[in-house]
Structures are given as structure tokens and as C-alpha cells.
Amino acid sequence: MKQRRLSYTSRSTHCQNLIAKKLLALMDSKQSNLALSADVTSAAELLALANQVGPEICLLKTHIDIVDDFTPAFTIELKKLANQHQFLLFEDRKFADIGNTVKHQYQGGVYRIADWADIINAHSLPGNGIIQGLAEVGMPKNRALLLLAEMSSANNLLTTEYTQKTLQLAEAFPEFVIGFIAQHRLSTDPQWIYMTPGIQLAAGGDTLGQQYTTPKQAISENGSDIIIVGRGIVNATDPLAAAKKYRTAGWEAYEETLCGVN
Ligand code: 5BU
């Protein structure tokens, strides 16, 4: 069944976090609810992809630790492209440790994630300490956090109860947590942003447990807000043409679920 929704822009008035407001406004002004999962292993390739696909996306998701030739200069270049093409940066770091450890992982080390990533994500498994630790680093820099509420992989261990408890954890930190990585909308509260990975134009999977759903299913049927697409774009012979297709599919699915009153 189609889920009716308010426009992204009208949702932004319900958000406390500035990145959440900025992202929702950007999505409507750019007419894109597409996030590119830029899962390539060379810095030059990633920058070229970001430059090519940048005009089509609202968000670029990285796994910074798979870039073979990472240098601090690389993230400066990435930030320049984000400004030029108007997209936000999301490091898919999936923090999962105690608060004190994730603080160091977030602000320091080689990658200095807090210096360049607008958005990060974390498993809720360790409890509220992980959010508090990340917030101590991220809040002064106006950053934002997503919690992993559901995963796309087959046979994952995130039960319905775990997902519900993740929602409750988020509700205690609305200044820093902006939403969820999830396969479905979890609540009627308009402030939460849902991002869904495991998206391709045809449902299916890979050989390692990934399960794909379509943009229409994710946005229109499951009530998600942002489709996250990796190999569907990155491995296409023409990534820009593929990105345009995903963008159109995601946007049309959003438009057909809009309520008359925004
Ligand atoms: P794909 O190439 O579109 O399958 O890539 C999906 C990306 O989303 C990849 O970077 C994963 O690490 C990420 N991902 C996911 O696939 N499923 C999940 O549940 C979560 C993240 Br959380």
C-alpha cells in the first residue's frame, strides 16, 4: 500500500538538527532523493564519479576505509565537489563500540571523519553511550547521526524488537540523530529521515547476501525517503545515465505519495 507523506520541505520544520533541515530542503530544491554509494577504491575514481554524478544526487555515501590511496587532501577535494554540486557527505562508518572509543574513531585517526562528513551512522547495539560519545564530537561541528535500524542483507540479526528499541534510542537524542538506515518507515513522526540501501531497478541480490528492492518499493510502498544506490550506478557502463534513471524513479515514487496539503 502507498504511504502518504508531507513534502520534504514541510518535514524540515519538524527537525531540530540543522543538517536534517538542510538535507530535506536540498532534496526538494534539487528534486533528488538519490544517494550515491561511491564504493570505489581509488581517490581519483571517487572524485571523478562525484563530479560526474554530483548534479543528480542529494547525498554521497563513502566507505573512506576502502580508498587505497587516501590522503587528507582527498577529503578537501571531496568537500569542494559537495559545495560545487550541492550534495551532502555521509560516511557509512557504522560505529559500534563504547562511547569513549567511537569518539576517537570519529574525530581522530587517519580519516578525521568529523572534519568532513556531514552525516555518519552507528549501530544501536552498544546502547545510548555510543550516541553520547559521537554527539560530543559531532554536535559542536553541526554534524548528524543515523542509526542502523534495519539491514538489507539476508539473515541479518536485527529483529523487530531491536528495530523498535533503536527508534526509542533515537527519540532520546533528536538534536543529533536525524533518522535511520532502514528498509521501512518506522514511525509517523515527520522529523525522522529514512535512507534505504539495497536498491536496484530490478529486485534481486548478489552472491554475498545483499537483497535488492526497487526505488518504487522503497519510497512509495515502504515509506523511505532516500534511496542509496551503489553498484547499480557505479558498475553501469554509463554511470551518469544510470544515476539519472534512479533519480527519476526515486523522485516519481516520492511525488506520487505526496499529500495534497504540504
Ligand atoms: P550496492 O552496491 O548498491 O549493493 O551497495 C550498497 C551500499 O550500502 C554498500 O556501501 C553497503 O555497505 C551499504 N549498506 C547495505 O548495502 N545494506 C545495509 O543494510 C547497510 C548498508 Br546498513
Side-chain angles (χ1 to χ4, degrees):
M1 207 182 72
K2 275 184 205 156
Q3 302 212 19
R4 310 308 298 179
R5 72 175 82 221
L6 300 169
S7 72
Y8 296 132
T9 306
S10 60
R11 297 246 312 274
S12 71
T13 58
H14 298 269
C15 302
Q16 297 186 33
N17 181 288
L18 288 178
I19 291 289
K21 287 180 187 290
K22 189 172 167 182
L23 177 59
L24 289 166
L26 174 72
M27 288 161 71
D28 267 342
S29 68
K30 205 169 172 181
Q31 301 207 329
S32 175
N33 53 14
L34 172 63
L36 170 68
S37 185
D39 297 334
V40 292
T41 54
S42 101
E45 208 183 332
L46 207 163
L47 292 173
L49 192 61
N51 195 28
Q52 187 186 26
V53 175
E56 309 299 324
I57 59 176
C58 61
L59 189 68
L60 184 127
K61 183 175 88 59
T62 51
H63 283 298
I64 201 67
D65 56 354
I66 69 171
V67 176
D68 290 328
D69 53 350
F70 174 87
T71 59
F74 164 69
T75 49
I76 293 170
E77 290 307 309
L78 195 56
K79 267 173 85 169
K80 278 190 202 156
L81 289 173
N83 281 333
Q84 185 187 331
H85 295 302
Q86 289 295 295
F87 56 80
L88 298 184
L89 295 173
F90 165 25
E91 164 57 20
D92 187 1
R93 173 62 179 76
K94 300 186 182 73
F95 293 101
D97 214 319
I98 60 166
N100 186 58
T101 300
V102 296
K103 261 177 77 171
H104 291 297
Q105 292 172 324
Y106 184 20
Q107 79 184 345
V110 174
Y111 302 118
R112 306 195 70 84
I113 295 166
D115 286 349
W116 55 270
D118 300 295
I119 301 172
I120 47 153
N121 59 356
H123 285 287
S124 50
L125 185 71
N128 57 326
I130 187 169
I131 305 176
Q132 286 167 325
L134 292 169
E136 279 187 20
V137 174
M139 292 274 291
K141 292 176 181 277
N142 285 322
R143 303 305 192 196
L145 173 67
L146 298 163
L147 294 180
L148 276 99
E150 292 175 325
M151 292 193 71
S152 60
S153 44
N155 306 316
N156 70 73
L157 305 182
L158 280 64
T159 61
T160 312
E161 190 191 356
Y162 181 97
T163 301
Q164 281 310 311
K165 286 193 169 166
T166 301
L167 173 62
Q168 286 163 20
L169 263 179
E171 285 165 350
F173 298 91
E175 326 74 32
F176 189 49
V177 177
I178 62 168
F180 305 93
I181 302 290
Q183 297 293 309
H184 309 89
R185 197 191 301 177
L186 307 175
S187 141
T188 53
D189 185 339
Q191 75 172 304
W192 304 123
I193 302 172
Y194 298 92
M195 304 193 190
T196 300
I199 299 283
Q200 286 209 349
L201 289 171
D206 68 9
T207 55
L208 296 173
Q210 175 69 299
Q211 304 177 116
Y212 288 116
T213 184
T214 63
K216 190 178 169 72
Q217 176 77 40
I219 301 287
S220 172
E221 310 290 327
N222 297 349
S224 185
D225 295 311
I226 293 181
I227 49 170
I228 300 177
V229 182
R231 285 166 285 180
I233 293 173
V234 175
N235 290 354
T237 36
D238 183 345
L240 178 58
K244 285 178 192 283
K245 273 191 200 161
Y246 280 98
R247 177 190 185 168
T248 303
W251 196 255
E252 284 178 357
Y254 162 65
E255 283 195 315
E256 72 178 33
T257 56
L258 278 179
C259 298
V261 185
N262 294 314

